[in-house]
Amino acid sequence: MSDAPTHDADEFEPVDVFETTEMDLRPGADDCYKCSTCDTSCPVAEVDDEFPGPKFQGPEQWRLKRTEGHEIDDSITSCSNCMRCDDACPSSVPLSQMHNTARGEYVENQRFGREALSALADGNLREALDIVREGQDGLVERLRNRILANYHTSAWLASFMPSVANFVMNFGPARWAMAKTMGVTSEREFPEFADQTFREWWAARGGAQVSNPDKRIAYFHGCYSNFNTPEVGKAMVRVYEEFGYEVLVPPQKCSGTPMFANGMLGDARRHAETNVKNLAAAIENGAEIVASCTSCSMALGQEYPELFDLDGIEDVAAHTYEGVEYLRLHEDLEGALDETSVDGSEFAYHAPCHARNQGLDTQAVELFSDLDGVAIEDVGDSCSGISGTYGWKEEKYDYSMEIGEEMFEHMEHAAGETGMTECPTCAMQMEHGTGYEIRHPLELLEEALVTGS
Amino acid sequence: MAIEDDVCVIGGGLAGMTAALRAAREGARVRLLSHKKSTLRHASGLVDILGYADGELVADPFDALPSLPETHPYRRVGDDAVRAGLSLFDDVTGDAYRGTHTDANALVATHGGTVKPTARYPTRVAPGLASQDRKTLLVGFDSLTAFDAPLAADHLAAAGVPGATRGVTVAFPGDFRADSRVTRSARALDDDETVEIANGSMPVRRALVRAVESHLGDAERIGFPAVLGEEESQEVRNALESALGIDVFEVPMGPPSLLGLGLETLFQEALAEAGVRRTTGNPVVEFDADDGRIRSVSTDRNGRPTPFHADEFVLATGGLVGKGIDSDREGVVEPVFDCHVPHPDDRYEWFDDEAFGDHPFARFGVTVDDDLRPLDAAGGTEYDNLRAAGSVLGGADFAAEKSGSGISLATGHAAGRAAGAAANQ
Ligand SMILES: Cc1cc2nc3c(=O)[nH]c(=O)nc-3n(C[C@H](O)[C@H](O)[C@H](O)COP(=O)(O)OP(=O)(O)OC[C@H]3O[C@@H](n4cnc5c(N)ncnc54)[C@H](O)[C@@H]3O)c2cc1C
Ligand code: SF4
Ligand code: SF4
């Protein structure tokens, strides 16, 4: 309540992370009053005693970093970027933004060579050798993270020969080799590649079937519904066309979600440039942006403007919706569902962490509870544990399953034997832990409003 | 079109949750909008009605209510509403809380070693009431610096509590990080995890008993910081009690508070059961009104609005701490609907000269009519279908009076009932 401004403009030390991205998170760090609430909501800290938690990763590290010579602690790579800490902080400290930035900086700074040389100069051969050896391990890990983060590239290659790719990716010896040399866990089955990608389907059907200058959306399908679950993308298109929308499918790249989580901000930025350019053009064209994956809508709506400074990026954020959310706000979705029914199905629904911060975690249950023929049950507010690429890493697999345990149990207890979620990687984890088939809310909407009617 | 409900409550603290629950019991379709997760997880878990009036300790809050000023929220809603709010609370919390047997305040020892007059307290805390004349041992953990047991014991002795109180600090068994999160040790106790100790390993509950046994002396009860289990706390306490042979209680802690978290869970279950629809994550920043009625409010997410329509609205956004009331150079404002907040123009009149004096700003908040509808500067209602509850209301100094939760329950209950009834018409 004092008159004094809290932050002196002259004291700002902008931290230059990448090219034009200038960020000063200090006011955020200063907002932390150390209540530790973020720590109690972090799923990784709950199972990994080595992980110091979001309060350290965020505000404390930020303060330390301002004192000279402090390097980002390597525990930052253990944060899965689930963003639960953001939601928990009563003081709106931008925790995940701090983590993303710190992780980017950490990955940039891994320069073991310099340290090895200085050890050599000190005549400490042994230490120099150790540093080099560690560095090599680090290199493999970075390569692995890079491959995981750039899922779209592997998926794109695989899409040319989906059946071969499906075979090779899950072929025992190949998986063993991947685990041994790269640290990709062999406990998980790689997701299957579809015979026809969403974009191939889209082209084959001749693009939009409805044209309507007054009701237009641009679909951001992301990598996963393009390569692995095109049925989600198709459901999205059919439901929107049913409501009379013209669907645009602009050229697009990965949303960047897996890259943020692996500190590859440079890669993410390049993709963001393409996405922002094309999506901004669609907005110009009268469209709103709709994503079927809650991590994609999170990236476009929050992480983009937090991490990058690109022309039109704020505009893209302000026009981005999740697939069901947009319909709920702009159509009488409840009314439409009132008049229809589906053949008896029971679902165990899991709200992805990224849906929470967007206020979408209760949407599916709220909407489908009254739909005739459907029973849907929320399996609780725990994290699924996979958090995109986190659960694919050999060294994280056990933690990932430990985090997921609560969700698996609740799924088993729920009446439904089919799972439901908006997030493709949560879906993988749900299937992996229970063997259930997992559906996307848009698929149920399609069944209720398009194929069923 | 759009999202529509009968009643829309803004704010997910105790006041908002109470209002939503009460309105839903009226048969209305209710939405609870909250920026952040509930604030209960930061709170001590104690429920105070009135601990002090005019700086004097209050023995029975109901005796003291009539002497409060006319502008006080309790006077607005009346004694019956206070009782009704409490009874809704008792209904939600069931066995998890104590204090229903009397109107009088109980005295609970806090982690700082002060004695707090309160109306309802968790069952986990109950055996430790400071008013009982029993020899007490307080145990702190060296990893949990927020509770310094020897210091708290000294403070309690200085405060003149009956019964000798001693304090010791021990290491929490097991190899947890020094800055270990409270939930970590609580879960270890829940599951009775095996931990490493000096000469081998054993279940953590037994190890904890070992660590304190030698300090017991003639103590008749033993108090730990409130970290004894999250989901199985009853079982943890039973196990410790039967091994130690004396009563075990817990001392309420500051945030992050397991007692507060437990209370939050109870309310959330009640809300789910009552069919209240919850949307959290984004703040309400705008509204649409015509004809003196609010039509919709909108949350904001990075510049993108999401509208929520309803017939009746309840404002429960908290006080100066919860940002339900804000101040800037221009003055004091209620930021969502810009309801009138009376305050002196001269900022120097906001404060008392004494640091611990009677600061007018502590009472800043919206003023309301008997139906809890906010009033404008001229004394007319701001909007027909808007009511306010909790610490967004002016006229009470929650911290000094120790009345925070009581006011939230009483006014939340009254606002929820009125909004639910109005929506039904
Ligand atoms: C640290 C702490 C200790 C406490 N200790 C005690 C105690 O010992 N005894 C006791 O009786 N009570 C205690 N309390 C409880 C406190 O008194 C209650 O919080 C009080 O009852 C006020 O509740 P409220 O619901 O009015 O406001 P708050 O609890 O402040 O809740 C306000 C809610 O509104 C939300 N909100 C604010 N602005 C917006 C917006 N624009 N849009 C959407 N949502 C918004 C916030 O996210 C929050 O959920 C404590 C509270 C805290 C925080
Ligand atoms: S929740 Fe927010 S204020 Fe509390 S410790 Fe974490 S960052 Fe700081
Ligand atoms: S983003 Fe998730 S994993 Fe990372 S610190 Fe926050 S809560 Fe923990």
Side-chain angles (χ1 to χ4, degrees), chain A residues 7 15 17-18 23-33 38 51 53-66 72-73 75-77 79 81 83 85-86 89 91-107 260 263 265 302-303 306-307:
Chain A
H7 311 294
V15 182
V17 185
F18 294 104
M23 255 167 295
D24 181 18
L25 298 174
R26 178 168 165 196
D30 290 347
D31 281 345
C32 168
Y33 64 94
C38 50
F51 182 62
K55 179 172 56 145
F56 173 81
Q57 297 301 348
E60 280 175 8
Q61 175 135 269
W62 214 260
R63 275 185 218 114
L64 281 176
K65 217 167 65 68
R66 292 208 314 259
I72 307 271
D73 191 78
S75 60
I76 192 68
T77 58
C79 157
N81 201 33
M83 303 171 97
C85 43
D86 279 358
C89 174
S91 194
S92 297
V93 174
L95 286 151
S96 69
Q97 186 183 7
M98 290 176 161
H99 301 166
N100 273 330
T101 322
R103 203 162 26 235
E105 203 169 315
Y106 174 81
V107 168
F260 301 143
L265 293 193
Q302 178 174 328
E303 283 159 318
E306 275 181 1
L307 296 171

Side-chain angles (χ1 to χ4, degrees), chain B residues 350-371:
Chain B
W350 295 7
F351 309 93
D352 192 84
D353 291 340
E354 303 285 323
F356 294 101
D358 187 9
H359 297 295
F361 78 80
R363 290 197 179 75
F364 286 171
V366 302
T367 52
V368 288
D369 66 10
D370 284 350
D371 198 23

Side-chain angles (χ1 to χ4, degrees), chain A residues 1-5 33-37 39-41 45-53 56 60 84 86-93 297-298 301-303 305-306 314 317-322 325 327-334 354-362 366-367 370 381 406, chain B residues 1-5 29-31 34-39 41-42 175-177 179-184 187 193 230-231 254-258 261 264 268 276-282 299 301-309 320-323 326-329 332 347-348 350-351 361-362 364:
Chain A
M1 304 252 302
S2 95
D3 269 339
Y33 64 94
K34 303 194 173 164
C35 69
S36 294
T37 305
D39 286 349
T40 60
S41 61
E46 192 178 322
V47 296
D48 180 352
D49 286 338
E50 299 297 310
F51 182 62
F56 173 81
E60 280 175 8
R84 278 183 176 250
D86 279 358
D87 205 21
C89 174
S91 194
S92 297
V93 174
S297 60
M298 170 66 89
Q302 178 174 328
E303 283 159 318
E306 275 181 1
E314 306 278 345
H319 286 271
T320 296
Y321 296 80
E322 185 272 338
E325 178 188 31
L327 283 180
R328 261 190 111 191
L329 294 174
H330 296 92
E331 300 296 329
D332 183 10
L333 198 50
E334 279 183 33
H354 286 176
R356 291 176 189 283
N357 308 33
Q358 299 176 72
L360 300 173
D361 52 329
T362 53
E366 215 175 281
L367 194 63
D370 295 334
D381 69 353
E406 192 176 329
Chain B
M1 271 302 169
I3 299 177
E4 278 183 44
D5 299 277
R29 172 157 135 164
V30 182
R31 179 165 309 271
S34 182
H35 182 194
K36 293 290 171 178
K37 291 207 151 171
S38 153
T39 51
R41 58 178 60 197
H42 311 296
D175 193 17
F176 299 117
R177 302 175 57 90
D179 57 349
S180 180
R181 294 155 288 278
V182 295
T183 39
R184 186 68 193 86
R187 287 194 187 121
E193 279 175 26
E230 197 178 344
E231 312 212 310
S257 151
L258 286 187
L261 211 59
E264 175 185 314
Q268 276 172 358
V276 171
R277 304 168 160 226
R278 311 191 63 197
T279 302
T280 55
N282 301 301
T299 58
R301 181 165 174 77
N302 294 322
R304 206 207 80 192
T306 305
F308 293 85
H309 298 255
L320 282 161
V321 180
K323 305 253 161 69
D326 215 349
S327 72
D328 58 21
R329 275 159 195 271
V332 187
R347 299 175 66 92
Y348 289 100
W350 295 7
F351 309 93
F361 78 80
F364 286 171

Side-chain angles (χ1 to χ4, degrees), chain B residues 26 35 46 60 86 103 118 149 158 182-183 198 203 222 254 284 300 305 350 388:
Chain B
E26 209 60 38
H35 182 194
L46 299 177
D60 182 336
L86 261 187
D103 276 351
T118 193
V182 295
T183 39
I222 180 168
V284 171
D300 170 75
W350 295 7

